[in-house]
Amino acid sequence: MIMVYEIKLSEDDIAYYNKRSINKLFAILGIFEECEESGDMSPFHSYLDRLIIEFRGVKDIFDICTFVSIVAILDGLRKEEQLNHKEVKSIVFHCISLVKKGTDEK
């Protein structure tokens, strides 16, 4: 059990959240592709902002190194001016691997 905002979460709850987190991270790639096609990156930046806020709010689920890495990477991705599909894909899969590995270490 882990306490997050005075709520007890079981291992199953955490595993479910991690799966959802991976799905949210993977969605970055699709959103980037759509924004790149339309020429409007604002939905991409908004989505990254929301993910950063969410991950900051659930820092107790991830170990500290994983938490810092994911938030820093997403923030850096948000601030990067010239992104291409290959870079975004690499970053997304790196973040997914951090979630998978980081929660195993907790």
Side-chain angles (χ1 to χ4, degrees):
M1 289 280 180
I2 188 169
M3 293 289 289
V4 177
Y5 300 113
E6 299 181 22
I7 300 170
K8 290 182 183 178
L9 298 177
S10 68
E11 294 295 322
D12 289 340
D13 294 330
I14 294 168
Y16 177 75
Y17 181 76
N18 289 341
K19 182 178 177 183
R20 297 280 308 234
S21 295
I22 289 168
N23 292 340
K24 290 175 183 182
L25 289 166
F26 190 70
I28 292 170
L29 191 54
I31 293 167
F32 175 80
E33 291 167 352
E34 290 173 7
C35 291
E36 192 174 42
E37 282 181 25
S38 72
D40 177 13
M41 297 305 286
S42 59
F44 175 70
H45 294 139
S46 294
Y47 186 75
L48 289 175
D49 289 341
R50 286 192 307 272
L51 275 184
I52 291 166
I53 290 167
E54 177 180 342
F55 286 147
R56 283 181 181 158
V58 295
K59 65 184 177 291
D60 293 337
I61 290 178
F62 303 111
D63 74 10
I64 191 66
C65 292
T66 300
F67 162 72
V68 170
S69 291
I70 291 170
V71 171
I73 290 167
L74 293 177
D75 189 48
L77 188 61
R78 169 69 174 88
K79 293 176 181 173
E80 187 64 38
E81 294 289 325
Q82 299 294 319
L83 291 170
N84 65 50
H85 185 269
K86 184 178 178 181
E87 291 171 321
V88 173
K89 182 178 179 181
S90 175
I91 291 167
V92 164
F93 281 96
H94 177 66
C95 286
I96 289 170
S97 72
L98 288 172
V99 170
K100 288 180 177 179
K101 185 171 49 173
T103 53
D104 291 340
E105 295 173 0
K106 182 111 174 140

